[in-house]
Amino acid sequence: MSVTDVPVLAIDDLVIDIGGNRIVDHVSLSLGSGRILAIVGESGCGKSLTALSVLGLLPKAARITGGEIRLNGRDLLPLGEAALSDIRGNEATIIFQEPVASLNPLMRVGEQVEEALRLHRGLSANAARGEAIAMMARVGIPDASRRARQYPFELSGGMCQRIMIAAALICRPALLIADEPTTALDVTIQAQILELMRDLRGDVGSAIVLITHDMGVVADLADDVCVMYGGRIVESGPVEPIFAAPRHPYTKLLLATIPTLQGQRKMTLRTIEGMVPSAESWPDGCRFRTRCPLADEACVATPPLADVGPGHAAACWHSADVEALA
Amino acid sequence: MSAVASPRPHPRQGFGLRRWWPLAIVALVVLAAIFAPWLAPYDPNQQNLIGRLKPPGTVSRAFHYWLGSDELGRDVLSRIIYGSRVSLVVAFASVILSGTVGTTLGMIAAYRRGWTETVVMRVVDVFLSIPAVLLAIITVAVLGPSLVNVILVLALTRWPRYARIAYSQTLSVATMPYVRLAALMGAGATRVLFRHVLPNIIGAVSVVATLEFGLMVLFEAGLSFLGLGVQPPTASWGSMLSTGRNYVATAWWVATLPGLCLFVLVLAVNLTGDAVRDRLDPRFR
């Protein structure tokens, strides 16, 4: 995969506040064309907000108070609603986790795939129809021209997610944000959808931001990983080193929670002690220190996101000791 | 309704005659209104002063009064047939007008939120707090009675019903991911509302519209009864009731027969409305 000089998406030092609480705290990330970046973390860690801010879709209460978001080198934050809606669905697009609810129940699925084409390219219904059916066939919908005339209730959840992907990719966007795209699907369908997304990024060339809490999905699909906790990136880098040797205790514990087929039967599932504290009660310094087995006095100071390997960075004072953590 | 599973299909589920016969009556009245010139035996305004207030079945000069004659010797049957035109035109036009205005405003209020919502919905509250008949009477008194004015007045007083139902339905539909997705894909508010929201709320709106239709027939009759509707000599069920009232002790048919038609039509429309509602209620699908 060729990585051009200008990254498709570059988020630099992004800060998002909601009602005086800093929900996203100086987050930076960048993504080359055709790459898949996974943003991982528990609920409430700021991963969705970070991704939604790219499309200007933050909830009303949220304010971007600092930083920059660039899509193909163009700064998005100063853009108005009209310019943003030109970009959405066209250059950058999103798929949500509930495929069935994301489709209008009273509109034929083919029309819904066409909609972005008609809105952004001004194609007539007939011209858009052909492209829509081709894209539906491309995402693995058998007998696409017949399916295009069906309504969402006639399709399975997996089919609906394929339709959503076809609708999202119809304008060949530079960036696709996938917000937990497989959460609502059963495991076999999940695998098919992941495989489809892997195929398509080569084909369409879209860079993908994958928001998930499922480490299995990350290992399967992503090139790079960003682990977020408490609104900050705690570890980032290519998938392999992070899975082989995580350098932040949170990543390590997150990986340890994945059940394996080896080992004793009836072993209790591993969990991370405690709960994600809410934004009002985030501790000073390292935000994971209230749950971290390695925490000591040093952690009262905020650790910087420091390089620990090629392209690999972790924000922990004790990153050298993480490996020893059981 | 008991929770015990019944082996028979739910009686409300079918398209059977049991639920839909009232629609036949409505259709009959609609056909009568459309084909009035061919169905009515006489000109509804043709007078025959010798044959005044004759009971049903009387033959007087060239007239055969199947349903009797009124105080000017006009054929009651012909007047009932022509009168159905006024009832239906007023009801159709006012339902369509108030439904369109109310639904659009309700959708916009729920979709835009903020001050638009406040203004529209408070105006709705104000309208709903004024007795509709009173408002109608005042408005007709100011504008002057005519068919068009009756339609305008009914639309003016009835749109808040549609606004409310469209508002509440839109609120829930607008939170659906597909509506948010359409909006963020660059579809404008008009496109989102009419392409994505409207088809999903039209069921609820059309139930209100059917029930309102019956009410509009009654309202028109009421206004005509009060002399605020269509003006003589145009036949209307309400005005026939109004003049027939004076002779009800001696010539019961002049007031009773149009009243009966009114009753049957409104009942049929309301039963149709119930059937439509049950048909669209997801619990009975």
Side-chain angles (χ1 to χ4, degrees):
Chain A
M1 213 62 40
S2 72
V3 179
T4 48
D5 298 323
V6 182
V8 172
L9 175 68
I11 295 180
D12 191 30
D13 222 16
L14 182 71
V15 181
I16 301 175
D17 291 339
I18 294 183
N21 292 310
R22 188 140 291 184
I23 307 295
V24 172
D25 193 1
H26 298 283
V27 164
S28 300
L29 48 87
S30 115
L31 179 62
S33 111
R35 303 282 286 178
I36 299 181
L37 169 74
I39 304 181
V40 193
E42 288 166 274
S43 310
C45 70
K47 58 187 195 296
S48 288
L49 279 182
T50 305
L52 292 179
S53 66
V54 175
L55 295 175
L57 297 177
L58 291 178
K60 281 213 176 79
R63 289 271 169 283
I64 296 181
T65 45
E68 232 179 31
I69 299 173
R70 290 181 174 276
L71 185 69
N72 283 327
R74 177 179 178 200
D75 193 355
L76 296 184
L77 290 184
L79 295 185
E81 190 50 38
L84 275 175
S85 70
D86 268 353
I87 290 172
R88 293 193 291 242
N90 193 12
E91 283 173 63
T93 182
I94 187 164
I95 52 179
F96 291 124
Q97 51 175 298
E98 316 110 318
V100 180
S102 299
L103 290 167
N104 185 337
L106 297 178
M107 214 165 141
R108 295 175 200 280
V109 293
E111 285 178 59
Q112 308 195 47
V113 175
E114 288 160 33
E115 189 150 18
L117 271 183
R118 299 183 60 184
L119 285 169
H120 294 293
R121 301 282 149 86
L123 289 187
S124 71
N126 280 336
R129 176 70 37 86
E131 274 200 52
I133 288 172
M135 185 52 90
M136 284 169 66
R138 179 64 199 85
V139 298
I141 292 166
D143 202 1
S145 53
R146 187 176 64 86
R147 291 284 181 188
R149 289 193 302 274
Q150 292 189 320
Y151 290 92
F153 77 90
E154 297 175 275
L155 304 178
S156 65
M159 277 297 171
C160 285
Q161 192 59 293
R162 285 173 195 268
I163 296 283
M164 286 312 301
I165 293 174
L169 296 181
I170 190 95
C171 286
R172 309 205 166 241
L175 176 68
L176 170 67
I177 295 171
D179 191 352
E180 313 216 1
T182 56
T183 310
L185 304 173
D186 65 49
V187 183
T188 48
I189 305 296
Q190 264 187 29
Q192 291 173 17
I193 295 290
L194 293 177
E195 197 187 316
L196 172 66
M197 290 179 65
R198 201 167 29 226
D199 277 10
L200 284 172
R201 60 118 166 225
D203 240 41
V204 181
S206 305
I208 300 176
V209 173
L210 181 70
I211 305 169
T212 183
H213 54 248
D214 185 340
M215 280 303 210
V217 171
V218 176
D220 218 16
L221 195 60
D223 303 308
D224 302 292
V225 187
C226 246
V227 182
M228 286 187 74
Y229 187 85
R232 292 179 188 152
I233 293 179
V234 293
E235 184 162 9
S236 71
V239 168
E240 294 80 16
I242 287 187
F243 272 70
R247 301 297 294 275
H248 193 284
Y250 179 63
T251 318
K252 175 92 181 179
L253 292 171
L254 210 54
L255 288 168
T257 58
I258 303 175
T260 56
L261 288 175
Q262 283 86 46
Q264 285 173 277
R265 291 178 56 131
K266 304 208 171 160
M267 204 174 65
T268 7
L269 290 173
R270 288 286 302 268
T271 55
I272 301 177
E273 290 296 315
M275 300 272 290
V276 188
S278 64
E280 303 92 70
S281 51
W282 277 341
D284 300 333
C286 175
R287 285 178 176 162
F288 189 56
R289 71 189 168 98
T290 48
R291 301 167 77 189
C292 179
L294 296 177
D296 59 19
E297 316 82 66
C299 302
V300 180
T302 307
L305 192 61
D307 283 346
V308 292
H312 185 177
C316 181
W317 295 117
H318 305 291
S319 60
D321 307 328
V322 171
E323 198 125 19
L325 197 64
Chain B
M1 210 141 301
S2 84
V4 182
S6 154
R8 282 179 298 127
H10 197 285
R12 283 178 166 184
Q13 264 173 353
F15 259 123
L17 244 112
R18 243 164 122 168
R19 296 289 295 166
W20 294 95
W21 62 264
L23 194 59
I25 293 180
V26 178
L28 203 71
V29 178
V30 170
L31 290 177
I34 293 172
F35 297 108
W38 293 276
L39 287 174
Y42 308 104
D43 178 340
N45 297 327
Q46 194 184 341
Q47 301 182 4
N48 173 21
L49 292 177
I50 290 175
R52 292 165 62 225
L53 300 172
K54 294 290 182 223
T58 311
V59 179
S60 162
R61 290 168 69 184
F63 288 91
H64 188 157
Y65 296 122
W66 291 103
L67 295 181
S69 67
D70 69 2
E71 76 282 0
L72 296 173
R74 296 175 296 197
D75 181 37
V76 169
L77 175 62
S78 302
R79 288 184 73 73
I80 286 177
I81 292 175
Y82 272 91
S84 67
R85 293 185 143 187
V86 174
S87 295
L88 291 179
V89 164
V90 168
F92 268 121
S94 60
V95 162
I96 286 171
L97 201 60
S98 56
T100 310
V101 171
T103 308
T104 309
L105 286 175
M107 285 197 307
I108 291 173
Y111 190 68
R112 282 246 176 275
R113 308 301 297 267
W115 64 267
T116 320
E117 176 187 29
T118 313
V119 170
V120 173
M121 296 322 287
R122 291 306 76 78
V123 171
V124 164
D125 289 341
V126 168
F127 267 87
L128 288 176
S129 69
I130 303 171
V133 178
L134 193 65
L135 185 60
I137 291 172
I138 294 168
T139 321
V140 174
V142 172
L143 294 177
S146 81
L147 189 71
V148 174
N149 284 352
V150 168
I151 292 170
L152 289 179
V153 158
L154 292 182
L156 178 75
T157 51
R158 303 312 295 181
W159 68 268
R161 301 258 156 216
Y162 301 93
R164 269 222 174 142
I165 191 87
Y167 170 76
S168 64
Q169 294 284 312
T170 305
L171 277 186
S172 77
V173 171
T175 62
M176 296 299 288
Y178 61 85
V179 173
R180 286 165 46 213
L181 204 58
L184 69 90
M185 284 299 180
T190 318
R191 189 180 171 90
V192 169
L193 285 181
F194 286 95
R195 216 169 144 74
H196 294 280
V197 175
L198 184 62
N200 284 290
I201 69 166
I202 197 77
V205 171
S206 61
V207 170
V208 174
T210 357
L211 297 174
E212 281 285 305
F213 188 90
L215 212 54
M216 291 306 96
V217 171
L218 278 183
F219 264 39
E220 182 277 324
L223 287 176
S224 292
F225 184 86
L226 295 172
L228 300 170
V230 293
Q231 293 302 294
T234 311
S236 133
W237 294 352
S239 58
M240 289 172 77
L241 270 175
S242 172
T243 48
R245 179 182 50 144
N246 301 324
Y247 313 99
V248 78
T250 51
W252 56 269
W253 53 90
V254 184
T256 311
L257 295 177
L260 198 64
C261 289
L262 205 54
F263 165 72
V264 171
L265 175 63
V266 173
L267 182 68
V269 167
N270 284 348
L271 288 175
T272 308
D274 285 349
V276 170
R277 187 196 57 207
D278 291 348
R279 190 71 208 164
L280 293 174
D281 189 327
R283 282 171 300 169
F284 296 122
R285 256 186 211 162

